[in-house]
Structures are given as structure tokens and as C-alpha cells.
Amino acid sequence: MTASAIPISFLPSVEFDAQLIRKLNQVGPRYTSYPTADRFTADFGYRDYLQAVTGARARSNTHPLSLYIHIPFCESICYYCGCNKIVTKDRSKAVTYLSYLKREIEMQGRLLVGANQIEQLHFGGGTPTYLSDAQMEDLMTHLRRWFSFASDANGEYSIEVDPRTVTRERVHALRRQGFNRISLGVQDFDPDVQIAVNRIQPESETLEVISAAREAQFRSISIDLIYGLPKQNVITMNQTLTKVIAANPDRISIYNYAHLPHIFKPQRRIAEADLPDADTKLDMLALCIKRLTEAGYIYIGMDHFAKPTDDLAIAQRQGRLHRNFQGYSTHVGADLVSCGVSAISAVGATYSQNVKTLDEYYEQIEQNELPIARGIKLTMDDLLRRIIIQMLMCNFELSVASIELAYPISFKTYFAAELEKLRGLEQDGLLTIDDEWISVTLKGRLLIRNICMVFDRYLNAAADVPHTTGAAEARPLRHSKTI
Ligand code: SF4
């Protein structure tokens, strides 16, 4: 059989090398943005955002946007959680929140009138399905009033669903409301693990939601898992993987649990003695990669696997994959407008983040201002490094010529220090470098963050500055280990 005749699902997309991971595993960002969110500052505010929108509109009024809506509420706490959420059973809180969220959506809609084509919508949280069916219907109607959505066939409209919060009928309602992709939080099917993380979610409940999503003709079903949770081991993970593979989702994400109880309070309720050790975690990761690739899933990068027929895998093959705050996306370069508490927008050469508490959120909207708390204007150097990190994360290769064509630099001179560091990683077998390409090897793909970190100017500056200076660039990182 010639290489071109080999079905895509049988071409290796990643190689697990335990020794290499042990040697190079380190704390690092996930690069859903560059610069990373911990570099945003309060110097950036509402007026800067307005300027960014004006600039983006001057460049193009016809470029479609991505829209993110954040619903922060959850009914109960999962102990592993590191998200910005509000756990409450008091439903009136959502009523108040929605009234302000709708005002923010209207403000953004007015700003973007005439340039408000949406091709990508994502609802995240918290738990978006904390909202009732009627509240969701009302919110979607409101969004359609202020934004113009591409047809179902041309748009990617996704929602994160906690299977514990929906019925079969609710899944059908979400489809009717316009969602065509669904992402289900599962984490682990094992009952002991579920107890240890306070997330009791019977397998039958999850399978029922998957079956309803198929029946309702969602275009893509995605499942989120976590490895490294308390009470997990290779045996439990194997059992969970068997069930997940049998459920046959289009995408599977497997996140590494980062135990950072000093930052995330709920994690203090996890008994450290129940956590798998580093070797077990590595074994679990190896098992995930083996089982999923043998089942025909392609490794997209950074925890994500997809069927070869899924849009993400197709976009990656065609070099159109993009990375944003929601992970990988097929909508290259679209400006991202985000609404809701703590939500992050990316418009033109800026990032901006909303305030993080409900009180601040309500207060700022009462003043008829978008509730922006902080952000950053990207310099030319940031933009250059952002595109490099994007290319490496999404395509696992970088064309030196394409960078030199887009930016007035000699790559070799501008990145002389970075190339020297990359040579070290080349010797470790993570990548190959020649005059035209930097190409990540199959075993380098799992350590892609290490490679991207070489191009992160802020991280490298922080490494050079003693922490005692209090300099902005020397702030301690909130990132997890790369594996
Ligand atoms: S993991 Fe999800 S459902 Fe659980 S507390 Fe966090 S945001 Fe809420």
C-alpha cells in the first residue's frame, strides 16, 4: 500500500515517549491566547476596546465574528474545578444575570451594527444549561435581534452541556434553538472517582444525552475527560475509555488535572492521598493515546482528539485550524466578541477581559459601559510571536518563509536566541529545523507547549527577573504542567 493509499485514521498522529516527557515536563501556558491572560493589565479599558472595534470595522465590515457567551452558574461544586463560576441553587440569581447580560449583548450589538455577521457561537460556563429552556429561548432570540447568524449549515454553534442538567427533550430544544454542536462534560465514568470529585453522573444519564443529541442531529458531539483525578488508575481509565469509545463521539478532549489547591479553593476538598502519582498519570496518558488512536481518532493537539471526518481534523489537514479561548476552532482569524462575567474578547490586535464578580459586572453595565476590567494591546512583536505560536500549535510546523513574507524581519536574526534554544529541543527529538521549516516530530507533539514557550517573550523575561522585584513580568504563573 502506498502512503497516499493509507486511510488517514491509520497514519500516526502522535507518539508517546515516556522518557522524554519525564525529562521535559514543566509548568507552562496552554496558549489559548498570546500573550497569555496573566499578562493583561488594568491599563486597558473600555475606551481601548472601542478603539479596537473602530479599527477592526475600518479594516473590514464583512469579516464574520465569533461570539462567546458566559453563563457562570452551577448547581453544585466539582472539587477539581478551576473555572470562574458561581455555585448556587437560587435561580433568581440567573434572572438578574440575564437581564444584565442582555444589556451587554445589546451594547455590543449596537457597536457592531453592520459588522455583526456571526459564524461561530459558543456558550460556556459554569453551566450554560443552568438556564431553563425558556431562559435559553429568550436569550437566543435576543442574540438574533442584535447579531446576524449564518445558516445552520455554515455556522458552528456550540454549547457546553452538563448531562446532569438536561433531559432528552431539552437536548432537542437546544438543537431547535440553533445549537449544532454539543460538548458534554463527563470527566470519568468510574463511580468512585465521581464520588471523590463530587460529580455523581450515572453513565446511563450521559449515554441518554448522547443518544438524544444524535437523534436531534447535532453535527458534532464532543466528550471531555480528565486524567489525574483522585481514585483514578490505569484500570479505571481503561474502563472509562472503553465506554467512551463505544459511545462514539466525534471529538474527545482529555485534560490533565492540575492540582493547585493554593489557587483553586474547591480543590482543597480533594484528598491528596487519593491522587495518582506522576508515573500513574503518565501511564494513563499513554493508555488514552493508544486506545484513542487505535480507535481511529486523530491527535489534533493539546488534549484534543477527533475523528478524521470531523471538521477539526479536516481543518488541520487543510492548514485552516485556529486556536482561541475555547480551544481549537475552524474559523481562522475571526474577531471574538465575548459577553458575560469574566469573558475574554479578542478584537483586532487586542485582548480584553470583563470584570470577574457579579457586583462589578452589574455596576459597570448600570453606567452604560461595557464591563471591561483589563486587557492588552498587542505590539508588532506580540503579533509576530502570536502567529508563530498559533502555527506551531495548530499545524505542528512553521514555514520560515511565510513569516518573513508577512513581517519585515530576517527570521534567523530576529529569533537567533530562540533558534539556539530550539536546537536543544531538536537534539531531544522534539522537532527538526532547516532553513525553510520548523517541523514538530510525532513525539514532540505532546510537548508542543515546550516548543511554544521558547517564543514566549514574557515567560522568558520572567525567567530572567528575580521574583522579589515585583515586576509585572515576574509574576508567578498560574499554569499547569505541560503533561
Ligand atoms: S467543573 Fe463545570 S460544572 Fe463543575 S463546578 Fe466547575 S464549572 Fe461547574
Side-chain angles (χ1 to χ4, degrees):
M1 202 186 257
T2 63
S4 59
I6 298 172
I8 290 151
S9 57
F10 294 139
L11 289 173
S13 52
V14 67
E15 194 181 315
F16 183 84
D17 184 327
Q19 215 181 339
L20 198 58
I21 293 172
R22 267 194 203 98
K23 178 176 171 192
L24 296 176
N25 195 13
Q26 61 173 316
V27 172
R30 300 172 54 75
Y31 293 115
T32 50
S33 70
Y34 178 82
T36 47
D38 53 348
R39 308 297 163 188
F40 299 176
T41 68
D43 297 343
F44 186 102
Y46 176 48
R47 314 266 154 229
D48 299 293
Y49 179 77
L50 293 185
Q51 238 177 40
V53 171
T54 310
R57 294 192 58 147
R59 281 191 302 281
S60 164
N61 251 353
T62 52
H63 205 67
L65 300 171
S66 291
L67 195 55
Y68 173 73
I69 306 294
H70 190 76
I71 308 294
F73 304 104
C74 299
E75 277 199 25
S76 59
I77 185 80
C78 311
Y79 294 160
Y80 55 81
C81 185
C83 303
N84 192 295
K85 79 277 163 196
I86 296 153
V87 180
T88 176
K89 292 199 191 297
D90 177 0
R91 300 274 157 176
S92 69
K93 292 214 166 137
V95 175
T96 311
Y97 181 73
L98 280 176
S99 68
Y100 284 95
L101 179 65
K102 284 164 74 176
R103 285 172 69 177
E104 189 193 5
I105 290 168
E106 180 178 338
M107 281 187 231
Q108 289 280 13
R110 284 187 191 279
L111 257 184
L112 291 157
V113 76
N116 58 3
Q117 301 289 314
I118 304 292
E119 274 189 1
Q120 193 180 33
L121 168 71
H122 184 82
F123 265 65
T127 307
T129 44
Y130 184 92
L131 300 184
S132 70
D133 200 11
Q135 285 172 325
M136 186 61 85
E137 179 74 40
D138 179 53
L139 185 53
M140 290 303 283
T141 305
H142 187 75
L143 282 169
R144 289 207 173 85
R145 191 172 303 143
W146 292 104
F147 292 91
S148 170
F149 286 79
S151 67
D152 184 62
N154 293 319
E156 199 177 281
Y157 306 132
S158 60
I159 182 162
E160 293 167 13
V161 167
D162 179 340
R164 299 171 298 171
T165 60
V166 295
T167 58
R168 184 169 276 271
E169 292 67 39
R170 181 77 199 273
V171 173
H172 279 268
L174 290 170
R175 182 71 184 96
R176 281 195 302 276
Q177 283 157 356
F179 296 101
N180 55 25
R181 292 167 188 280
I182 193 167
S183 164
L184 306 176
V186 174
Q187 327 315 350
D188 196 318
F189 278 129
D190 187 87
D192 289 339
V193 176
Q194 293 190 355
I195 292 169
V197 297
N198 196 40
R199 188 179 171 118
I200 315 295
Q201 185 175 320
E203 190 185 327
S204 56
E205 208 169 70
T206 304
L207 296 180
E208 172 87 356
V209 173
I210 293 174
S211 139
R214 282 221 173 87
E215 201 176 77
Q217 301 195 334
F218 274 84
R219 286 221 304 274
S220 169
I221 301 172
S222 171
I223 283 187
D224 290 350
L225 302 175
I226 303 181
Y227 74 96
L229 291 176
K231 302 277 185 191
Q232 269 181 340
N233 57 46
V234 175
I235 296 168
T236 62
M237 183 52 90
N238 199 29
Q239 287 161 350
T240 289
L241 287 168
T242 300
K243 290 169 185 171
V244 169
I245 290 167
N248 197 23
D250 304 282
R251 299 177 188 174
I252 300 171
S253 303
I254 304 192
Y255 298 103
N256 170 18
Y257 170 60
H259 191 60
L260 303 167
H262 57 291
I263 299 173
F264 305 116
K265 259 192 180 170
Q267 297 186 354
R268 293 177 198 165
R269 296 164 82 170
I270 287 179
E272 300 215 356
D274 288 342
L275 289 170
D277 61 22
D279 282 344
T280 309
K281 273 184 87 172
L282 258 194
D283 290 344
M284 285 195 279
L285 177 64
L287 181 73
C288 291
I289 290 167
K290 181 173 182 296
R291 296 279 326 258
L292 295 185
T293 50
E294 280 176 3
Y297 287 88
I298 305 277
Y299 179 66
I300 299 293
M302 286 301 297
D303 330 302
H304 292 268
F305 294 80
K307 284 185 181 171
T309 47
D310 186 85
D311 286 352
L312 276 190
I314 295 170
Q316 187 171 50
R317 285 201 295 281
Q318 296 174 344
R320 306 184 276 108
L321 198 63
H322 183 68
R323 192 161 166 79
N324 65 19
F325 292 102
Q326 282 79 56
Y328 288 101
S329 141
T330 56
H331 289 254
V332 178
D335 283 327
L336 170 70
V337 174
S338 297
C339 297
V341 69
S342 78
I344 302 178
S345 297
V347 174
T350 68
Y351 291 115
S352 50
Q353 181 167 30
N354 279 353
V355 291
K356 288 188 177 172
T357 68
L358 289 183
D359 285 347
E360 291 170 295
Y361 183 68
Y362 299 159
E363 197 180 307
Q364 217 157 320
I365 291 175
E366 279 298 347
Q367 290 167 16
N368 287 322
E369 281 200 358
L370 287 171
I372 293 165
R374 58 190 198 128
I376 190 169
K377 275 187 206 171
L378 277 68
T379 63
M380 282 307 281
D381 178 78
D382 292 333
L383 290 167
L384 170 58
R385 290 171 190 270
R386 174 166 82 170
I387 191 75
I388 288 172
I389 289 173
Q390 276 272 346
M391 283 179 172
L392 288 168
M393 280 262 163
C394 296
N395 307 330
F396 294 126
E397 61 184 11
L398 177 75
S399 156
V400 170
S402 74
I403 296 297
E404 287 181 337
L405 266 179
Y407 290 86
I409 60 156
S410 150
F411 193 92
K412 261 190 193 164
T413 314
Y414 196 93
F415 291 114
E418 287 79 357
L419 281 167
E420 203 180 303
K421 285 187 189 166
L422 288 181
R423 293 277 174 215
L425 296 179
E426 186 180 33
Q427 276 171 16
D428 285 317
L430 262 61
L431 49 92
T432 59
I433 307 170
D434 62 34
D435 285 345
E436 311 214 332
W437 290 94
I438 294 174
S439 306
V440 181
T441 60
L442 288 179
K443 57 181 161 183
R445 291 183 175 197
L446 283 174
L447 291 157
I448 186 69
R449 284 204 260 183
N450 294 50
I451 298 169
C452 293
M453 282 159 73
V454 170
F455 287 98
D456 188 332
R457 188 173 63 86
Y458 299 88
L459 208 55
N460 293 319
D464 295 341
V465 182
H467 282 313
T468 47
T469 61
E473 295 196 333
R475 280 169 303 194
L477 293 167
R478 291 163 58 97
H479 307 301
S480 57
K481 282 201 165 179
T482 51
I483 297 288

